[in-house]
Amino acid sequence: MLVKDIMEKINEYAMKRNFIRGASEKTGVPGGYILIGLVLLILVLLYSGIGTFFALLILAFLYPAYLTFKALKYSNQELLVRIGKFWTVMGLSLIHICRCRRLLTCRSRWSP
């Protein structure tokens, strides 16, 4: 009974999400199973190391880019200021990382 109750709650939560509801309707698989499958897939990808690059890509670039377009579309000045600060810090960080890598690469090739 405990597992059945938990699955019902997971299914209720999953069916509130449009993406999972649509997938459930098209495939005929309960939404709870789709949600559990997606979570397990993400965990396996993150554990294997393949997904860490994609997680970093989404968190560091794609989501802020989405917020930028959203702020521009709705002319949200407060969000534009926050996003502007984010892109400034991100740009300076990338410049610093690239310079450090180039410096380390040059030093590793040089030998006395």
Side-chain angles (χ1 to χ4, degrees):
M1 287 306 232
L2 180 64
V3 175
K4 192 174 187 178
D5 293 337
I6 292 172
M7 280 306 297
E8 285 178 13
K9 288 183 181 182
I10 291 173
N11 197 32
E12 284 178 25
Y13 177 79
M15 294 309 276
K16 291 179 184 176
R17 308 293 176 247
N18 289 334
F19 170 73
I20 295 176
R21 186 181 330 119
S24 176
E25 290 171 357
K26 288 180 182 178
T27 60
V29 177
Y33 292 141
I34 294 174
L35 180 63
I36 291 172
L38 286 173
V39 169
L40 289 175
L41 177 67
I42 290 170
L43 289 175
V44 166
L45 288 175
L46 287 175
Y47 182 73
S48 68
I50 297 169
T52 53
F53 171 74
F54 294 111
L56 179 65
L57 177 71
I58 289 169
L59 292 175
F61 293 105
L62 296 180
Y63 184 67
Y66 163 74
L67 286 180
T68 303
F69 284 112
K70 186 177 170 183
L72 290 171
K73 182 178 179 181
Y74 296 111
S75 300
N76 186 342
Q77 293 298 322
E78 182 181 328
L79 186 58
L80 280 172
V81 169
R82 277 186 25 217
I83 292 294
K85 289 177 185 178
F86 170 81
W87 285 120
T88 302
V89 170
M90 182 61 81
L92 292 173
S93 299
L94 287 174
I95 290 170
H96 178 71
I97 289 169
C98 289
R99 290 186 68 195
C100 288
R101 278 190 180 171
R102 189 166 50 194
L103 181 66
L104 290 174
T105 303
C106 291
R107 292 204 177 219
S108 65
R109 290 182 188 162
W110 181 79
S111 59

